[in-house]
Every structure is written in C-alpha cells, then in structure tokens.
Amino acid sequence: MGQGQNSILVTGGAGFIGSHTAVELFESGYHPVIVDNLSTSDRLLLEGLPKITGEKVDFFEGDCTDREFLRSVFSQRNITAVMHFAAFKSVGESVEFPIRYFRNNIDSLIALLEVMKEFGVRDFIFSSSCTVYGQPEKIPVNESAPFLKAESPYGATKQIGEQILEASVRSGYRVVSLRYFNPVGAHPTGHIGELPVGVPNNLVPYITQTAAGLRKSLTVFGNDYDTADGSCIRDFIHVVDVARAHVKALEYLWSIGPESNSFEAFNLGTGVGVSVLELIKSFETSNKLSLSYSIGSRRPGDVIKVYADPSRIMKAMGWKPDFSLEEAMVHAWNWQKKISGLT
Ligand code: WQD
C-alpha cells in the first residue's frame, strides 16, 4: 500500500485537523501518509479513520524534528506534497513554556523543509493561524493586514514559520499558508473529532465536556468587552470545512505550474463573527439542552474581536464553507457523547 501512489505526507495526522484532512484527502483520491509522535494526540483518531475510509491507515510514529525518521518515511513512500499540522498549539501553555514551543514548532518546520529538499519535494501546506495578526485594526481581517506583535509565543511560532517559508520559496518550494480562525465541530460520522489532552483550553471542547458532566461548569472569560453582548467575538469554522480547504490548496498549488515558486497565505474562516455567548446559545438550541456557565474575569492574551474576510480563498480556490455553526455544534456534541459513553 502506498508504495507508488501519489502520497501526501500529513504531519500531526493523529490530531484534530490533521485526521479530518486525511479523510478528505482519501475521499478526493489521494493517499495520506500520517506521521505523528502522539505527544498531544491519541490513537483513538487513528482507529476512527478506517471506519470512515474503509482503508488501513498508513501511519508512521515519530517526531518531525527527527531528520532520520523523516528520511525513512520519504524513502518508503513516494511523497509528492507535505501538509504540516504537527505543532504545539495552546496559547496559554506557550506562555508557560516558550522555549518548548519555539523548539518544537520551528525546528519541525526546518527539518521538514531540509528533508523535502533532499527528496526533491516542493509543495508545502502550512497550518498557520489568525493569531499572526494579533488584535487586527480592521475587522473583518484580510491577508494584507500587518503582523502585529504576537499575543503569545504560539502566535510568534506561526509568524516565524510563515517568514521562514516566504524566504524559502526562492530555493524552489511552493507554499500555501492557511491561517485558521477557530476550527470547531467533529466529523459528521462521529468516528473522529476533537480530543484535547487534559483540561481543554479551547471553548467548544470545554462546552461539550461541561454538557457531558466532565466539567462542573463553563466559565465565560469576560462579558465586559466592547461588543454587543460584552463577550469576545470569533470566527468559528467547521473542522471539515477546514479540511476540505487543504485539498483545494493542494490542487491550487498543482495548478500554478511547475516553474513557479510561490508563497501565498489565505485566511480560513467563515467570515461571520460570533460571540462566545452566541455560540453557547447555538450549542444549547442546536442540541436542545441547557449549559451550566458563569461569567468570570477576562483571560490574558485574548483578542476582543477577530473574524475573517475569506474572499481571497473563495476566489482563488473556489472554496466555501459547507457546514453551519449549528451543524458544528451538533457534530461536536455527538462526538463528545460517543467518547464519554453517553450513546
Ligand atoms: C475562544 C473564545 C475565550 C475557553 C486559539 C488559538 C488559535 C486557534 C484557535 C489553532 C475566547 C473564550 C475559551 C473557556 C471562554 N488555534 N473562552 N471560556 O483563543 O480564540 O484561539 O484557538 O489553530 O490560533 O489562538 O480560542 O477557544 O481558546 O477561545 O470564555 O473555557 O472563547 O476567552 O474569547 P482562541 P479559544
């Protein structure tokens, strides 16, 4: 399996976005090759993949900073492009352990670029983030917005990653950087979803764990912001829409012709701003339940309002979101009920 096929390397493919992207690659006729060190993910998602695709997962366990490991994968598979999801991504944790974040997120990127060069692989899709913008002056934010000071070392690793990639295209790489807004939800089949390790940092898994009785109550980090209902505003995008954009980005890269070396960044969001309190309401009404939550103090580092202007990716790749926020809330809850043994 996978020997001669057009294989797409999916680093961090045992994680939330990587696993959903592996499904979309498979369903579009490509062969995902997953590498993951399982440091912040779980084999559960790897076990869920075959239930959706009907195929055994092509998985290599290892670390993307380990050049020998990467070389062994590239020599066993005909890798034609790389999608790089493997990175630490907790804003709060990055403030606590900055060196660990810079080392892991930056050195894994450099190692991949070095090994790709050795094997003549040029096409690279990078998981970036809306955090590269800091608190944007203009909302909705578009790709020409400046990189303001990163709110966290995590955000800084994404800014530095893009700078490394932009500088590298001169030596022959073709790069698309996808700046995720807030990926939420789970696969409609319920076989894969979000699996935070420990106490969730992100809003939606905290909500679903509270609804499942694993957490006593959700704390809303502040309702005294300068917004309509006082809570922060974000752009919550279904994880399958994020995954489908990666397949579009791959095909976009292949459409721009062999001679061009390019770096292009695209916002990946719905373009709709939703407040924390509105999302809670959507979760409750979509799943016909009421959630226990209280208002707490602001979380340091939070930007008040950020949502995307997605017109560039829509125009260049013909991508658009297929799922609504309500569907994302239903899928997230179905997944939580399944992994909590509630269904
Ligand atoms: C969203 C809102 C919180 C938890 C981060 C990364 C970003 C991307 C998505 C990777 C904020 C509020 C949260 C809680 C709350 N990551 N909240 N109670 O910080 O917007 O973005 O995750 O791609 O790069 O920066 O996401 O889900 O942590 O917070 O009130 O228990 O929910 O204050 O306003 P964030 P988040």
Side-chain angles (χ1 to χ4, degrees):
M1 147 100 71
Q3 296 298 336
Q5 283 174 300
N6 240 354
S7 297
I8 312 297
L9 189 69
V10 180
T11 76
F16 181 36
I17 301 168
S19 57
H20 286 79
T21 302
V23 170
E24 297 306 317
L25 281 168
F26 179 84
E27 292 188 348
S28 301
Y30 302 105
H31 176 71
V33 175
I34 291 177
V35 297
D36 201 303
N37 66 5
L38 301 179
S39 65
T40 58
S41 48
D42 188 293
R43 285 185 183 277
L44 191 65
L45 297 186
L46 294 176
E47 287 154 14
L49 286 177
K51 294 176 189 160
I52 302 171
T53 64
E55 292 265 320
K56 193 171 163 308
V57 184
D58 198 359
F59 170 61
F60 294 81
E61 183 173 352
D63 191 302
C64 287
T65 58
D66 177 348
R67 282 122 173 109
E68 277 321 306
F69 163 68
L70 291 177
R71 286 188 186 105
S72 75
V73 176
F74 276 76
S75 53
Q76 295 175 67
R77 293 291 184 273
N78 171 31
I79 304 292
T80 51
V82 175
M83 295 186 175
H84 183 37
F85 299 95
F88 295 154
K89 67 142 199 159
S90 162
V91 171
E93 192 184 54
S94 75
V95 175
E96 222 179 316
F97 305 107
I99 301 296
R100 191 191 299 178
Y101 267 67
F102 284 110
R103 186 191 170 286
N104 182 65
N105 291 9
I106 305 297
D107 193 35
S108 60
L109 171 62
I110 293 171
L112 271 168
L113 293 173
E114 288 172 339
V115 176
M116 284 173 71
K117 176 66 80 186
E118 291 171 21
F119 286 83
V121 179
R122 303 172 60 201
D123 295 330
F124 192 88
I125 294 169
F126 182 57
S127 290
S128 189
S129 167
C130 58
T131 33
V132 299
Y133 297 118
Q135 174 59 68
E137 271 130 30
K138 199 168 155 306
I139 303 278
V141 61
N142 68 38
E143 291 82 353
S144 59
F147 281 11
L148 300 181
K149 185 176 179 325
E151 302 286 331
S152 67
Y154 163 76
T157 67
K158 293 301 180 184
Q159 289 181 341
I160 296 165
E162 288 206 11
Q163 286 158 359
I164 290 170
L165 289 164
E166 197 159 12
S168 305
V169 290
R170 297 168 55 88
S171 52
Y173 297 97
R174 298 191 306 186
V175 178
V176 162
S177 180
L178 295 175
R179 294 173 182 164
Y180 307 159
F181 281 70
N182 288 58
V184 293
H187 197 269
T189 60
H191 291 310
I192 56 175
E194 194 162 8
L195 259 186
V197 176
V199 179
N201 290 294
N202 293 129
L203 177 63
V204 171
Y206 205 105
I207 287 178
T208 59
Q209 289 190 13
T210 302
L214 302 177
R215 308 284 162 205
K216 251 172 74 49
S217 173
L218 168 78
T219 303
V220 172
F221 297 143
N223 71 342
D224 56 351
Y225 286 101
D226 180 17
T227 61
D229 63 18
S231 65
C232 290
I233 292 174
R234 292 290 185 274
D235 183 329
F236 298 101
I237 176 172
H238 195 293
V239 62
V240 174
D241 285 327
V242 173
R244 288 177 179 167
H246 286 75
V247 180
K248 289 272 188 189
L250 186 66
E251 292 164 349
Y252 173 78
L253 269 186
W254 286 341
S255 73
I256 56 178
E259 67 295 334
S260 56
N261 306 320
S262 64
F263 171 91
E264 289 190 79
F266 296 90
N267 284 340
L268 186 44
T270 65
V272 177
V274 171
S275 79
V276 172
L277 290 171
E278 285 168 339
L279 183 120
I280 292 169
K281 184 51 71 196
S282 168
F283 181 79
E284 291 180 314
T285 45
S286 311
N287 294 301
K288 300 182 181 55
L289 54 77
S290 75
L291 191 77
S292 156
Y293 68 91
S294 60
I295 306 295
S297 46
R298 296 180 173 190
R299 180 173 71 172
D302 269 340
V303 297
I304 301 170
K305 188 193 285 191
V306 62
Y307 55 92
D309 167 357
S311 51
R312 196 151 179 273
I313 191 171
M314 289 178 169
K315 190 159 168 286
M317 301 184 195
W319 172 88
K320 64 167 185 51
D322 294 323
F323 293 96
S324 67
L325 182 66
E326 291 67 31
E327 287 172 304
M329 296 298 102
V330 169
H331 297 155
W333 181 225
N334 289 345
W335 166 249
Q336 182 66 60
K337 285 188 285 186
K338 179 173 174 184
I339 57 175
S340 307
L342 298 174
T343 48

